Amino acid sequence: MTKGAVQAVNDFDAIDFFRDEGPVADPYPYFEALRGQCPVQRESHHDVMMVTGYDEAVQVFSDSETFSSCVSVTGPFPGFPVPLEGDDISELIELHRDELPMSDQLPTFDPPMHTAHRGLLMRLITPRRLKENEASMWHLADAQLDEYLAAGEGDFIGGFAGPFTLRVITDLLGIPDADRDEFVEELNRPHGDPGVGSTSGEMTHTPLEYLYDRFAAYVEDRRREPRDDVITGLAVATFPDGSTPDVADVARVATNLFAAGQETTVRLLSNALKIIAEQPEIQALLRAERDRLPNFIEEVLRMESPIKGDFRLSRTPTTVGGVDIPAGTTLMVLNGAANRDPRHFEDPQTFDATRANARHHLAFGRGVHTCPGAPLARAEARVAIERILDRTSDIRISERVHGPADAREYRYLPTYILRGLTHLGLEFTLAEEPAR
């Protein structure tokens, strides 16, 4: 156990979850310490109510009338523009919503605005569309594996997971092949922003703005000349009342799908391959019984949720798990903690690829803000892992990169929102005749 983890167990109140490095490397002792006090516990550094219990998390996620998502991504930073006074702050939220970071992105919307904009996506990411897209995923996975596996070892995130998920989402959206390299360059280029959930607590108001113009141009083009792709579907879709969304609104929805979907799936894939490479018995099970893969993926999501948590702001006084929540309280619903609540998951610290209720996890949220891209992420993970298993006979953690089995060293993204490795060094033995 790391020094930070020991400190979290012995004195959880001394840990600043949003600033300290200890919880970045291993947040779970901190989550357990909080839940040991109470599943709904106020932390002392930024006055955030931390929700670590499963039932309590479901309650908050399911009540969009009481809990606003206006701070869902940024939480207590940089703080609400005005004092939150009174027993109903709904009017204050609407008056100042646009001043908050990420206020133009779908995760921060509340109903009915959220309902209308989410509807644009949900009519497009349909089972039929995903089935059609999955057919190309197999080819995209193989194309990336041809390059990645050739060396016999390498960083899984940079060598496969990142490029593969980017190829999938650009293929789904219908981004022209000629433009894809430019998107890669844009994503990798520094934009003066440390990133969502950075432990520095700093973030620009609209960190994805550099993508808006590109998607706006695509939307305008598809309205002039429709094609058979998701961007065209977004471009011609209407709100429930029959009105046509502004080009800017559609561009923001597309940007959110592009950026958020790619990032979280990379973390899911890298967490999955880390487990496969670290636990030979699980790797053997998946190789022998491929029908175990869907449940394995759910258990990966439960054990290592790519999103540590989401924030909410209470509009009116309420109670969660018997704890009083005044109006104007910022809550962080910790998916990663709720997914290890022993009241809901038996022996939650143990990875069990056959766990019966693994899919109960909250990695994709719950309620009206349930991740619309969850089916896509599941399909990408299943296709990628299956092709990797097909084309290898053994996958191992690189001791040169991460150290020996009894002294592994991994680095995680320095953010209180995302849970993911910065890189994952793997070694592999190729299968004699890769299946195609």
Side-chain angles (χ1 to χ4, degrees), residues 309-379:
D310 292 313
F311 295 98
R312 295 292 186 270
L313 187 64
S314 57
R315 296 175 179 274
T316 56
T318 188
T319 61
V320 178
V323 176
D324 290 337
I325 308 293
T329 299
T330 298
L331 301 90
M332 186 175 193
V333 186
L334 291 155
N335 309 342
N339 288 340
R340 297 193 183 199
D341 187 343
R343 297 174 300 170
H344 194 84
F345 298 101
E346 184 178 356
D347 191 17
Q349 307 301 335
T350 298
F351 186 93
D352 180 1
T354 63
R355 185 181 296 274
N357 67 341
R359 198 176 170 112
H360 289 191
H361 64 77
L362 302 179
F364 291 127
R366 188 64 63 84
V368 299
H369 278 277
T370 298
C371 176
L376 176 62
R378 288 183 167 108

Side-chain angles (χ1 to χ4, degrees), residues 65-283:
E65 184 174 339
T66 302
F67 300 102
S68 171
S69 294
C70 64
V71 295
S72 65
V73 179
T74 56
F77 307 107
F80 206 81
V82 298
L84 295 172
E85 300 172 343
D87 284 341
D88 189 340
I89 64 166
S90 297
E91 186 175 347
L92 286 174
I93 289 174
E94 297 314 313
L95 285 173
H96 298 280
R97 177 188 294 275
D98 291 344
E99 300 170 43
L100 296 168
M102 302 287 285
S103 60
D104 58 353
Q105 285 294 296
L106 185 63
T108 68
F109 294 175
D110 291 317
M113 184 177 182
H114 174 266
T115 306
H117 284 74
R118 181 185 172 91
L120 297 177
L121 278 182
M122 297 311 293
R123 289 198 295 272
L124 300 170
I125 306 180
T126 62
R128 182 185 69 83
R129 172 68 69 176
L130 287 175
K131 185 175 181 180
E132 293 171 353
N133 189 239
E134 184 177 322
S136 70
M137 285 186 204
W138 298 96
H139 300 292
L140 293 173
D142 270 321
Q144 194 61 42
L145 285 172
D146 286 343
E147 181 178 342
Y148 176 61
L149 295 177
E153 64 176 335
D155 175 32
F156 177 73
I157 295 174
F160 178 80
F164 169 67
T165 55
L166 184 61
R167 287 185 177 196
V168 169
I169 198 66
T170 54
D171 180 66
L172 175 70
L173 287 171
I175 294 172
D177 290 342
D179 295 349
R180 295 183 186 185
D181 288 344
E182 184 177 339
F183 271 81
V184 173
E185 292 176 6
E186 283 291 331
L187 285 176
N188 292 330
R189 182 183 302 150
H191 290 272
D193 181 0
V196 173
S198 166
T199 52
S200 72
E202 302 172 358
M203 190 178 73
T204 57
H205 183 86
T206 311
L208 298 176
E209 191 168 12
Y210 66 96
L211 291 174
Y212 289 171
D213 289 345
R214 297 311 309 269
F215 279 110
Y218 289 139
V219 171
E220 291 172 344
D221 174 72
R222 300 307 197 273
R223 285 184 174 177
R224 289 191 301 267
E225 299 181 18
R227 305 180 193 176
D228 184 21
D229 59 25
V230 168
I231 294 182
T232 295
L234 282 169
V236 303
T238 59
F239 286 135
D241 64 2
S243 62
T244 299
D246 291 339
V247 169
D249 287 334
V250 180
R252 292 183 189 115
V253 169
T255 296
N256 182 254
L257 175 63
F258 175 79
Q262 197 260 350
E263 175 66 35
T264 53
T265 307
V266 167
R267 305 310 150 196
L268 166 58
L269 280 171
S270 55
N271 289 335
L273 264 294
K274 175 176 177 287
I275 291 168
I276 287 172
E278 285 275 26
Q279 302 190 43
E281 68 284 1
I282 290 178
Q283 185 174 157

Side-chain angles (χ1 to χ4, degrees), residues 406-428:
D406 59 350
R408 295 279 199 238
E409 292 185 2
Y410 296 105
R411 294 180 63 84
Y412 287 85
L413 297 169
T415 157
Y416 53 82
I417 289 290
L418 295 173
R419 172 65 174 172
L421 296 160
T422 58
H423 61 278
L424 177 63
L426 297 179
E427 300 172 354
F428 24 80

